[in-house]
Amino acid sequence: MINEALQRLLIENLTTATLLLDSRLRLEYMNPAAEMLLAVSGQRSHGQFISELFTESQEALTALRQAVERGHPFTKREATLTSATGQALTVDYAVTPILSRQDTMLLLEVLPRDRLLRISKEEAQLSTQETTKMLVRGLAHEIKNPLGGIRGAAQLLARELPDAHLHDYTEVIIEEADRLRNLVDRMLGSNKLPSLSMTNIHEVLEHVASLLDAESQGRLVLTRDYDPSIPEVLIDREQMIQAVLNIMRNAMQALAGQVELGLGRLTLRTRTLRQFTIGHIRHRLVARIEIVDNGPGIPAELQNTLFYPMVSGRPDGTGLGLAITQNIVSQHQGLIECESHPGYTAFSIFLPLELDKGATTS
């Protein structure tokens, strides 16, 4: 027979967040996994009402009360909880009524889904990126071959033309062929491997910020929220400048009207994350770079195809900036994500702080 001390030891070492509520939905106990998930102390939270620990919806609260009254267990999938710290958590949770000393208590088992959903989303994003890259390479090959022929034919024709004024037409053909070739090359991105060196990520951000400050003539409000403890990152400095510049320039263009009025705001934020998964690799330490603007937001119909080549929300846009940025970040074993709604657009770049070290297969 397992004694009480051993039972408690087993519960405290479970990786599943476990909470015990009394009949009034006040906390009786939470294990360390629940403390970590909700970022609260079980001892300090003892006796608190469930809504003081996290909130979901009034319907969820009603369901918990009904579970106490009727003794019926239930399970909820992919629920969104908001912790006391304001963090949104996507979880599955199971509620089991337990009769104890003539009183019905509730056992809550909470399983975080954020990481699994993130992995699924990343896999889809990486798969789409590879498929798109293959399609673009095939299309580029089919375009560049005839372009070379057109350009060569125009050069030969220019030599045979008797009238020098007619050379203007062949020059147009050659220039347009070159323009299309350059466009295709930009779609393909650089084949050069990153030239990695230990770099201060804040120096990269400040370099790009100074460029945008000059372009906006100081009218763009730039806010810094840096974590100075972030160590140097192994990156290609020039490529990362290009990646960040593409995002920040897009943000400035989205803020165009607000910048003129002095209302455009761009926030640069850096943080470190522990045990963060990118693809199938769990990294011990990751740097997160956030670029946030208060512009009109990205149209919902563009958000799923945002990183595709030739997709742009501006009539004069080439749609290559974010595709190039994603390619650069991927070459650094990183990840880029976007969250957007009116008044808020945030691009997040995640970069491993230890490439090929301190990483485990998830």
Side-chain angles (χ1 to χ4, degrees), residues 203-222:
E203 188 271 329
V204 169
L205 294 176
E206 284 302 300
H207 179 84
V208 179
S210 65
L211 294 177
L212 260 67
D213 192 50
E215 286 182 25
S216 68
Q217 298 179 350
R219 290 195 295 268
L220 178 65
V221 180
L222 281 166

Side-chain angles (χ1 to χ4, degrees), residues 115-309:
R115 182 165 162 264
L116 296 175
L117 292 172
R118 180 185 292 276
I119 291 172
S120 177
K121 184 179 178 182
E122 288 168 18
E123 286 178 344
Q125 183 179 340
L126 293 172
S127 175
T128 301
Q129 182 187 356
E130 286 303 312
T131 303
T132 304
K133 193 180 292 184
M134 288 174 63
L135 288 171
V136 168
R137 289 191 185 282
L139 182 62
H141 179 74
E142 295 300 320
I143 291 174
K144 289 179 79 172
N145 280 346
L147 276 180
I150 291 169
R151 191 182 193 282
Q155 287 176 322
L156 290 173
L157 180 60
R159 294 175 192 168
E160 301 297 327
L161 289 175
D163 190 342
H165 293 294
L166 296 176
H167 288 186
D168 291 343
Y169 298 109
T170 55
E171 282 300 316
V172 169
I173 296 172
I174 293 169
E175 287 173 7
E176 288 302 296
D178 288 343
R179 186 179 66 82
L180 286 172
R181 184 194 61 201
N182 292 335
L183 178 63
V184 170
D185 287 340
R186 288 179 63 199
M187 287 174 64
L188 289 171
S190 174
N191 288 323
K192 188 181 72 173
L193 291 174
S195 176
L196 302 177
S197 61
M198 299 305 293
T199 306
N200 186 326
I201 197 64
H202 298 127
E203 188 271 329
V204 169
L205 294 176
E206 284 302 300
H207 179 84
V208 179
S210 65
L211 294 177
L212 260 67
D213 192 50
E215 286 182 25
S216 68
Q217 298 179 350
R219 290 195 295 268
L220 178 65
V221 180
L222 281 166
T223 304
R224 281 86 163 172
D225 181 9
Y226 294 157
D227 178 356
S229 68
I230 295 178
E232 290 189 333
V233 190
L234 190 62
I235 57 174
D236 183 315
R237 180 181 178 276
E238 297 306 316
Q239 286 193 11
M240 198 54 60
I241 285 174
Q242 184 63 56
V244 173
L245 181 60
N246 289 343
I247 297 173
M248 290 178 64
R249 190 165 275 155
N250 279 357
M252 189 177 74
Q253 289 166 347
L255 291 167
Q258 291 164 265
V259 168
E260 294 300 321
L261 299 172
L263 301 174
R265 181 177 297 277
L266 197 60
T267 301
L268 305 177
R269 183 179 297 118
T270 59
R271 293 291 185 271
T272 55
L273 301 173
R274 297 184 182 279
Q275 302 301 330
F276 188 86
T277 302
I278 298 176
H280 288 288
I281 306 297
R282 183 187 296 180
H283 296 275
R284 193 162 54 196
L285 198 61
V286 166
R288 180 178 68 188
I289 304 162
E290 282 187 291
I291 302 166
V292 183
D293 71 68
N294 64 336
I298 298 166
E301 64 271 15
L302 290 181
Q303 291 191 24
N304 290 332
T305 58
L306 198 58
F307 298 102
Y308 288 8

Side-chain angles (χ1 to χ4, degrees), residues 324-340:
I324 291 169
T325 294
Q326 187 188 50
N327 186 53
I328 291 171
V329 173
S330 295
Q331 285 186 316
H332 286 79
Q333 300 181 27
L335 175 72
I336 181 169
E337 292 182 342
C338 176
E339 179 187 349
S340 182

Side-chain angles (χ1 to χ4, degrees), residues 71-145:
H72 286 202
F74 70 90
T75 301
K76 192 162 183 182
R77 304 290 182 192
E78 293 190 17
T80 301
L81 309 182
T82 303
S83 69
T85 60
Q87 182 182 6
L89 306 167
T90 303
V91 303
D92 293 344
Y93 66 86
V95 178
T96 306
I98 299 173
L99 188 62
S100 174
R101 297 190 300 274
Q102 307 304 314
D103 192 14
T104 300
M105 308 184 81
L106 293 183
L107 178 67
L108 270 66
E109 298 169 84
V110 186
L111 185 65
R113 294 281 297 170
D114 298 82
R115 182 165 162 264
L116 296 175
L117 292 172
R118 180 185 292 276
I119 291 172
S120 177
K121 184 179 178 182
E122 288 168 18
E123 286 178 344
Q125 183 179 340
L126 293 172
S127 175
T128 301
Q129 182 187 356
E130 286 303 312
T131 303
T132 304
K133 193 180 292 184
M134 288 174 63
L135 288 171
V136 168
R137 289 191 185 282
L139 182 62
H141 179 74
E142 295 300 320
I143 291 174
K144 289 179 79 172
N145 280 346

